[in-house]
Amino acid sequence: MNIKVIIPAYNEADAIGKVIAAIPKEVSEVVVVDNNSSDQTATVAEQAGATALFEPKKGYGHACLKGIAHVANNPPDVLVFLDGDYSDHPEELTKLTTPILRGEVDFGVGARVPELREKGALTPQQIFGNALACFLMRWLYR
């Protein structure tokens, strides 16, 4: 099966190489979309074996769309999005892709809401940080 990974990245030079190295070998292509970084994210990604693309328009969505446009030329059977800061665990990618490849599910997504989140998936600091960030966004942007 053809599995590809897209990693939108902004100033992730310190972590991106480790993220790429931890991706299982079953993945046929890792695409890092440098979202106008001021560091060496793209260079480190290429040195680690990834395809590095550049997206000048800042924003996670723009970087994701750039990666999707790239893989559309040779669509994978499974497409996975990972964060470039190691907040996701790339070595666990097969836990996500195996049910898809077996035809048990069509789509999988990580969730941070308590009723969908696996126990222990987030530290107390991450839970607090997410709650604070969401509160501030609701307050600032109504």
Side-chain angles (χ1 to χ4, degrees), residues 55 66 70 72:
E55 175 51 57
K66 180 76 160 208
H70 172 78

Side-chain angles (χ1 to χ4, degrees), residues 26-47:
E26 296 85 7
V27 170
S28 61
E29 183 179 20
V30 177
V31 179
V32 174
V33 183
D34 180 354
N35 200 203
N36 210 6
S37 297
S38 60
D39 66 6
Q40 297 298 311
T41 296
T43 302
V44 174
E46 286 178 335
Q47 289 172 346

Side-chain angles (χ1 to χ4, degrees), residues 18-142:
K18 294 174 192 136
V19 171
I20 294 166
I23 293 173
K25 301 303 175 209
E26 296 85 7
V27 170
S28 61
E29 183 179 20
V30 177
V31 179
V32 174
V33 183
D34 180 354
N35 200 203
N36 210 6
S37 297
S38 60
D39 66 6
Q40 297 298 311
T41 296
T43 302
V44 174
E46 286 178 335
Q47 289 172 346
T51 301
L53 305 176
F54 179 73
E55 175 51 57
K57 291 184 234 160
K58 288 196 177 184
Y60 187 82
H62 291 296
C64 289
L65 290 172
K66 180 76 160 208
I68 291 169
H70 172 78
V71 301
N73 297 327
N74 180 17
D77 299 305
V78 178
L79 181 60
V80 176
F81 290 87
L82 289 176
D83 285 341
D85 61 359
Y86 223 105
S87 60
D88 296 323
H89 297 275
E91 63 276 6
E92 295 185 354
L93 187 133
T94 54
K95 288 183 180 180
L96 181 68
T97 59
T98 298
I100 296 169
L101 296 172
R102 288 183 182 157
E104 298 167 3
V105 298
D106 294 324
F107 179 79
V109 66
R112 294 182 179 191
V113 293
E115 53 275 4
L116 298 176
R117 185 174 62 228
E118 184 178 314
K119 185 176 168 59
L122 294 175
T123 65
Q125 297 89 335
Q126 290 170 314
I127 293 168
F128 175 77
N130 282 334
L132 178 61
C134 290
F135 168 79
L136 291 172
M137 284 187 281
R138 280 192 299 272
W139 180 66
L140 289 169
Y141 300 105
R142 300 189 197 315

